[in-house]
């Protein structure tokens, strides 16, 4: 299955220098986040399949995200120093406001169990040769569908949520000053948790 997906779609992958909380058995674990990106429109069904397979193969990864925009070809070596200042919190609140508003206006707000919006200290698109400091952050959209919050799945664009709605959220959030990229969490629970820590 892996060969058929990767032969069909040209994708890039990157291991991000952050960890997120996950669930393994009755315990919580902290493992890395893998990012997938592609040139052209994403094949969401294939991305969801990869998000199921990657944590099973790479045990130091518990979350897989899709990165909107052009393919990410450079490794990310560092993070943006981030503290809970009024500016940082304001950026997160603005991203959450845009995402929730667009979801409500689409009529799909009640079809999603929860949609946390996460600010991560990752600055993409920096040429490693130039050694520019990391100064921007990125936003992760985490749609979640569940009956009991013990297990659940991400909303699949084109199936649970129109692709146009997700695209509109990503475009609007990207307009916020200081945002490098918008990402979409493809991880089920388990191995990921409902929210990020």
């Amino acid at each position: 299955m892996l060969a058929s997906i990767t032969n069909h779609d040209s994708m890039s992958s990157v291991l991000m220098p952050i960890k997120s909380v996950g669930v393994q058995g009755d315990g919580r674990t902290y493992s890395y986040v893998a990012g997938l990106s592609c040139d052209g429109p994403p094949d969401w069904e294939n991305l969801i399949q990869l998000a199921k397979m990657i944590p099973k193969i790479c045990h130091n990864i518990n979350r897989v995200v899709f990165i909107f925009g052009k393919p990410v070809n450079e490794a990310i070596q560092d993070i943006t120093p981030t503290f809970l200042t009024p500016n940082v919190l304001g950026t997160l609140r603005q991203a959450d406001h845009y995402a929730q508003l667009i979801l409500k206006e689409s009529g799909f707000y009640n079809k999603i169990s929860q949609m946390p919006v996460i600010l991560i200290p990752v600055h993409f698109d920096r040429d490693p040769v130039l050694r520019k400091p990391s100064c921007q952050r990125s936003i992760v959209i985490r749609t979640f569908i569940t009956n009991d919050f013990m297990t659940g799945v991400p909303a699949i664009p084109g199936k649970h949520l129109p692709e146009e709605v997700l695209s509109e959220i990503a475009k609007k959030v990207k307009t916020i000053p200081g945002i490098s990229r918008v990402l979409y969490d493809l991880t089920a629970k388990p191995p990921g948790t409902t929210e990020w820590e």
Side-chain angles (χ1 to χ4, degrees), residues 20-31 55 61-63 142 149-151 187-195:
S20 77
V21 68
V23 178
Q24 287 180 316
D26 289 335
R28 296 168 76 83
T29 60
Y30 291 88
S31 297
I61 294 171
N62 68 0
R63 202 172 291 272
R142 169 63 162 164
F149 286 92
M150 297 301 290
T151 61
T187 315
K189 178 183 181 182
T193 53
T194 306
E195 297 171 342

Side-chain angles (χ1 to χ4, degrees), residues 1 26 29 57 74 76 79 100 107 111 115 120 135 152 194:
M1 177 180 273
D26 289 335
T29 60
I57 297 168
E74 290 86 26
I76 303 160
I79 61 171
Q100 301 295 339
K111 296 183 180 3
M115 188 175 74
I120 59 173
C135 60
T194 306

Side-chain angles (χ1 to χ4, degrees), residues 27-196:
R28 296 168 76 83
T29 60
Y30 291 88
S31 297
Y32 290 98
V33 177
L36 304 175
S37 57
C38 62
D39 195 15
D43 182 327
W44 293 107
E45 292 291 339
N46 283 347
L47 289 168
I48 293 292
Q49 288 304 316
L50 286 171
K52 290 177 183 176
M53 292 169 56
I54 290 171
K56 290 178 182 175
I57 297 168
C58 303
H59 299 289
N60 62 337
I61 294 171
N62 68 0
R63 202 172 291 272
V64 178
V65 296
F66 174 73
I67 306 165
F68 285 95
K70 64 184 181 182
V72 176
N73 295 315
E74 290 86 26
I76 303 160
Q77 303 292 332
D78 58 358
I79 61 171
T80 301
T82 302
F83 302 95
L84 296 179
T85 63
N87 276 353
V88 169
L89 293 173
T91 298
L92 178 57
R93 284 187 191 109
Q94 188 174 7
D96 183 65
H97 172 74
Y98 285 163
Q100 301 295 339
L101 183 65
I102 292 168
L103 187 63
K104 284 178 186 172
E105 289 176 349
S106 74
F108 282 83
Y109 186 81
N110 291 327
K111 296 183 180 3
I112 306 294
S113 302
Q114 189 174 7
M115 188 175 74
V117 175
I118 302 96
L119 183 74
I120 59 173
V122 178
H123 185 172
F124 293 90
D125 309 316
R126 293 179 297 135
D127 188 337
V129 174
L130 298 177
R131 300 178 80 80
K132 289 184 178 178
S134 179
C135 60
Q136 293 186 341
R137 297 170 183 88
S138 295
I139 292 288
V140 181
I141 305 297
R142 169 63 162 164
T143 58
F144 196 67
I145 298 174
T146 183
N147 291 326
D148 58 9
F149 286 92
M150 297 301 290
T151 61
V153 296
I156 301 171
K159 182 177 178 184
H160 304 115
L161 181 69
E163 291 182 49
E164 301 78 28
V165 173
L166 184 57
S167 178
E168 186 181 348
I169 290 171
K171 285 178 187 169
K172 186 68 174 174
V173 168
K174 180 71 173 78
T175 66
I176 299 170
I179 297 301
S180 172
R181 292 279 192 117
V182 177
L183 298 76
Y184 187 70
D185 192 342
L186 303 164
T187 315
K189 178 183 181 182
T193 53
T194 306
E195 297 171 342
W196 287 46

